[in-house]
Amino acid sequence: MAKGAPQSKHSVRKAVFPAAGLGTRFLPATKAQPKEMLPIVDKPLIQYGVEEAIRSGISNIIIVTGRGKSSIEDHFDVSFELEHMLENKRPNRELLSLVRSVAADADISYCRQKEALGLGHAVRRARELVGNEPFAVVLSDDLIHSRTPCLDQLIRAFDHTGGAPVLALMEVPRTDTHLYGVVKAEPVENYDGRLFRITDLVEKPAPAKAPSNLAIVGRYVLIPEIFDSIDRTGPGAGGEIQLTDGLKHLLRTHTLYGYLFEGERYDAGDKMGYLRATVEFALRRPDLGRPFRDYLKSIKL
Ligand code: G1P
């Protein structure tokens, strides 16, 4: 655990969920509905992320919202009407516990990002709620299926490094580097072969300018020093304040690591990625997997 980090069972207790983006890739579905509330099978995207955080030992959730995002707050709130109906008028124990479990395990607070000025800017908005301790960042449109929750894998690496920031990494085709933050990194000996020391980061580089094919995925374990670095970061790719650029600034004074996580990542903010996630999550569901597989096999288009 990092020197000076709080004494708790877990070295990382808080997770920030930026959720103020405009979701333009999913219009018109996201015109009046946050993209974080789009369902994969029957659960909104952001709930998958919150559950991953909880399974990684984090119960303090900070959601950075913006205008038009109030359904996220309602979703994680107690729904008296619904609970009353499922308890009395149309009793259904199973549905009742499902509805209750959404809000049960997490302590959720909200802050606002008034303008969508970029991911770095969104994370910066959470400074007061995070305070002076390490924290995770989860981008909920990066949906991850894995045996060990991706965040948990990062936290273990974070503890191993003695409290240095760790970013989730995956290999991408060279032609796709312009869609991601990309790092230059060298493998670290004596861990599990998946840990890298980062020597440079570039947000959304053209393939010819990419320092490698190791892309940043939307899971980070960060230290509070990142906030000052973001403050010193001007607009970057797309004219936005980029978290990747803030991390590049932090790299001047701190060691950063990347972890090639074990698991499957879906870009649920992209139409093809969203469809893949829907199909594969449905196929893995004990209640739907078999009939859905039979249905898919039967399609003649
Ligand atoms: C963000 C980050 C980028 C990262 C990506 C992962 O980009 O800025 O570094 O690789 O998430 O999904 P966005 O997809 O929000 O444009």
Short mmCIF file of all heavy atoms in Angstrom, two decimals, residues 25 35 119 139 141-142 179-182 203-204 215-218 220 242-244 265 267, ligand 1:
data_model
loop_
_atom_site.label_atom_id
_atom_site.label_comp_id
_atom_site.label_asym_id
_atom_site.label_seq_id
_atom_site.Cartn_x
_atom_site.Cartn_y
_atom_site.Cartn_z
N ARG A 25 -22.52 9.10 -30.43
CA ARG A 25 -22.40 7.91 -31.28
C ARG A 25 -23.67 7.07 -31.27
O ARG A 25 -23.83 6.14 -32.04
CB ARG A 25 -21.21 7.04 -30.84
CG ARG A 25 -19.87 7.66 -31.22
CD ARG A 25 -18.74 6.68 -31.06
NE ARG A 25 -18.45 6.36 -29.67
CZ ARG A 25 -17.63 5.39 -29.29
NH1 ARG A 25 -17.02 4.65 -30.18
NH2 ARG A 25 -17.40 5.16 -28.00
N LYS A 35 -26.39 7.71 -22.30
CA LYS A 35 -25.88 6.47 -22.91
C LYS A 35 -25.55 5.44 -21.83
O LYS A 35 -25.64 4.23 -22.06
CB LYS A 35 -24.68 6.73 -23.81
CG LYS A 35 -23.43 7.18 -23.09
CD LYS A 35 -22.23 7.20 -24.02
CE LYS A 35 -21.03 7.79 -23.28
NZ LYS A 35 -19.79 7.78 -23.99
N LEU A 119 -12.59 14.05 -20.95
CA LEU A 119 -12.49 13.06 -19.86
C LEU A 119 -11.64 13.57 -18.69
O LEU A 119 -11.99 13.37 -17.52
CB LEU A 119 -11.91 11.76 -20.43
CG LEU A 119 -11.70 10.62 -19.47
CD1 LEU A 119 -13.02 10.21 -18.81
CD2 LEU A 119 -11.10 9.42 -20.20
N LEU A 139 -14.85 3.82 -17.04
CA LEU A 139 -15.65 4.33 -18.16
C LEU A 139 -16.66 3.25 -18.50
O LEU A 139 -16.29 2.17 -18.97
CB LEU A 139 -14.75 4.62 -19.38
CG LEU A 139 -13.53 5.51 -19.10
CD1 LEU A 139 -12.84 5.87 -20.42
CD2 LEU A 139 -13.91 6.77 -18.35
N ASP A 141 -18.85 2.73 -20.73
CA ASP A 141 -19.11 2.12 -22.05
C ASP A 141 -18.02 1.12 -22.45
O ASP A 141 -18.16 0.42 -23.45
CB ASP A 141 -19.41 3.16 -23.15
CG ASP A 141 -18.42 4.28 -23.21
OD1 ASP A 141 -17.36 4.16 -22.56
OD2 ASP A 141 -18.70 5.27 -23.91
N ASP A 142 -16.96 1.02 -21.68
CA ASP A 142 -16.04 -0.12 -21.83
C ASP A 142 -16.56 -1.23 -20.92
O ASP A 142 -16.35 -1.21 -19.70
CB ASP A 142 -14.62 0.26 -21.40
CG ASP A 142 -13.84 0.94 -22.50
OD1 ASP A 142 -14.23 0.84 -23.68
OD2 ASP A 142 -12.83 1.59 -22.19
N LEU A 179 -8.35 5.42 -32.21
CA LEU A 179 -9.56 5.35 -31.39
C LEU A 179 -9.26 5.37 -29.89
O LEU A 179 -10.18 5.41 -29.07
CB LEU A 179 -10.34 4.07 -31.71
CG LEU A 179 -10.79 3.89 -33.15
CD1 LEU A 179 -11.33 2.48 -33.37
CD2 LEU A 179 -11.84 4.94 -33.50
N TYR A 180 -7.96 5.33 -29.53
CA TYR A 180 -7.59 5.11 -28.12
C TYR A 180 -6.46 6.04 -27.67
O TYR A 180 -5.77 6.63 -28.49
CB TYR A 180 -7.08 3.67 -27.94
CG TYR A 180 -8.04 2.61 -28.34
CD1 TYR A 180 -8.01 2.04 -29.62
CD2 TYR A 180 -9.00 2.16 -27.44
CE1 TYR A 180 -8.91 1.05 -29.98
CE2 TYR A 180 -9.90 1.16 -27.79
CZ TYR A 180 -9.85 0.61 -29.06
OH TYR A 180 -10.74 -0.36 -29.42
N GLY A 181 -6.26 6.03 -26.35
CA GLY A 181 -5.00 6.49 -25.82
C GLY A 181 -4.03 5.33 -25.99
O GLY A 181 -4.38 4.18 -25.75
N VAL A 182 -2.80 5.63 -26.44
CA VAL A 182 -1.83 4.55 -26.72
C VAL A 182 -0.56 4.84 -25.91
O VAL A 182 -0.16 6.00 -25.78
CB VAL A 182 -1.53 4.47 -28.23
CG1 VAL A 182 -0.48 3.41 -28.53
CG2 VAL A 182 -2.81 4.19 -29.02
N GLU A 203 -2.76 10.47 -26.90
CA GLU A 203 -4.19 10.28 -27.08
C GLU A 203 -4.54 10.24 -28.57
O GLU A 203 -4.18 11.14 -29.32
CB GLU A 203 -4.96 11.42 -26.38
CG GLU A 203 -6.48 11.34 -26.49
CD GLU A 203 -7.12 10.16 -25.75
OE1 GLU A 203 -6.43 9.44 -24.99
OE2 GLU A 203 -8.33 9.96 -25.94
N LYS A 204 -5.18 9.16 -28.96
CA LYS A 204 -5.72 8.99 -30.32
C LYS A 204 -4.70 9.28 -31.44
O LYS A 204 -4.96 10.11 -32.33
CB LYS A 204 -6.97 9.87 -30.49
CG LYS A 204 -7.97 9.71 -29.34
CD LYS A 204 -9.35 9.32 -29.80
CE LYS A 204 -10.21 8.79 -28.68
NZ LYS A 204 -10.73 9.72 -27.73
N ALA A 215 -3.21 -0.19 -26.20
CA ALA A 215 -4.21 0.87 -26.01
C ALA A 215 -4.71 0.90 -24.58
O ALA A 215 -4.78 -0.13 -23.90
CB ALA A 215 -5.38 0.64 -26.96
N ILE A 216 -5.10 2.10 -24.14
CA ILE A 216 -5.68 2.27 -22.80
C ILE A 216 -7.16 1.89 -22.87
O ILE A 216 -7.89 2.33 -23.76
CB ILE A 216 -5.55 3.74 -22.33
CG1 ILE A 216 -4.08 4.18 -22.35
CG2 ILE A 216 -6.18 3.92 -20.95
CD1 ILE A 216 -3.89 5.68 -22.10
N VAL A 217 -7.60 1.08 -21.92
CA VAL A 217 -9.00 0.71 -21.79
C VAL A 217 -9.56 1.49 -20.60
O VAL A 217 -8.80 1.90 -19.71
CB VAL A 217 -9.12 -0.82 -21.57
CG1 VAL A 217 -10.57 -1.24 -21.40
CG2 VAL A 217 -8.51 -1.54 -22.75
N GLY A 218 -10.88 1.67 -20.54
CA GLY A 218 -11.48 2.56 -19.55
C GLY A 218 -11.50 2.09 -18.11
O GLY A 218 -12.53 2.10 -17.44
N TYR A 220 -8.85 2.67 -14.66
CA TYR A 220 -7.61 3.28 -14.18
C TYR A 220 -7.60 3.21 -12.66
O TYR A 220 -8.64 3.35 -12.03
CB TYR A 220 -7.57 4.78 -14.53
CG TYR A 220 -7.85 5.16 -15.98
CD1 TYR A 220 -9.14 5.13 -16.49
CD2 TYR A 220 -6.83 5.63 -16.80
CE1 TYR A 220 -9.40 5.52 -17.81
CE2 TYR A 220 -7.09 6.03 -18.12
CZ TYR A 220 -8.38 5.97 -18.61
OH TYR A 220 -8.64 6.36 -19.91
N GLN A 242 -7.83 16.11 -22.01
CA GLN A 242 -7.73 14.65 -22.06
C GLN A 242 -7.06 14.08 -20.79
O GLN A 242 -6.05 14.62 -20.34
CB GLN A 242 -6.93 14.20 -23.28
CG GLN A 242 -7.56 14.58 -24.61
CD GLN A 242 -8.85 13.80 -24.90
OE1 GLN A 242 -9.21 12.84 -24.20
NE2 GLN A 242 -9.57 14.22 -25.93
N LEU A 243 -7.61 13.01 -20.26
CA LEU A 243 -6.98 12.34 -19.12
C LEU A 243 -5.59 11.83 -19.51
O LEU A 243 -4.64 11.90 -18.72
CB LEU A 243 -7.89 11.19 -18.64
CG LEU A 243 -7.40 10.39 -17.44
CD1 LEU A 243 -7.16 11.29 -16.23
CD2 LEU A 243 -8.40 9.29 -17.07
N THR A 244 -5.49 11.31 -20.74
CA THR A 244 -4.20 10.80 -21.21
C THR A 244 -3.12 11.89 -21.13
O THR A 244 -1.98 11.62 -20.71
CB THR A 244 -4.33 10.31 -22.67
OG1 THR A 244 -5.38 9.34 -22.72
CG2 THR A 244 -3.04 9.68 -23.18
N ARG A 265 -13.09 -7.22 -23.63
CA ARG A 265 -13.63 -5.86 -23.53
C ARG A 265 -14.55 -5.58 -24.72
O ARG A 265 -14.24 -5.95 -25.85
CB ARG A 265 -12.47 -4.88 -23.48
CG ARG A 265 -12.85 -3.41 -23.52
CD ARG A 265 -12.64 -2.85 -24.91
NE ARG A 265 -12.80 -1.41 -24.94
CZ ARG A 265 -12.79 -0.70 -26.06
NH1 ARG A 265 -12.63 -1.29 -27.21
NH2 ARG A 265 -12.96 0.60 -26.03
N ASP A 267 -16.64 -2.43 -26.64
CA ASP A 267 -16.87 -0.99 -26.71
C ASP A 267 -18.37 -0.77 -26.91
O ASP A 267 -18.87 -0.67 -28.03
CB ASP A 267 -16.08 -0.38 -27.87
CG ASP A 267 -16.30 1.12 -27.99
OD1 ASP A 267 -17.02 1.68 -27.11
OD2 ASP A 267 -15.78 1.73 -28.93
C1 G1P B 1 -11.28 7.42 -23.73
C2 G1P B 1 -9.83 7.80 -23.43
C3 G1P B 1 -8.87 6.94 -24.24
C4 G1P B 1 -9.16 5.47 -23.99
C5 G1P B 1 -10.65 5.16 -24.27
C6 G1P B 1 -11.00 3.73 -23.87
O1 G1P B 1 -11.56 7.79 -25.06
O2 G1P B 1 -9.65 9.16 -23.73
O3 G1P B 1 -7.54 7.22 -23.89
O4 G1P B 1 -8.33 4.67 -24.81
O5 G1P B 1 -11.51 6.04 -23.53
O6 G1P B 1 -12.30 3.42 -24.20
P1 G1P B 1 -13.08 7.87 -25.63
O7 G1P B 1 -13.43 6.47 -26.06
O8 G1P B 1 -13.95 8.35 -24.52
O9 G1P B 1 -13.01 8.80 -26.79
#
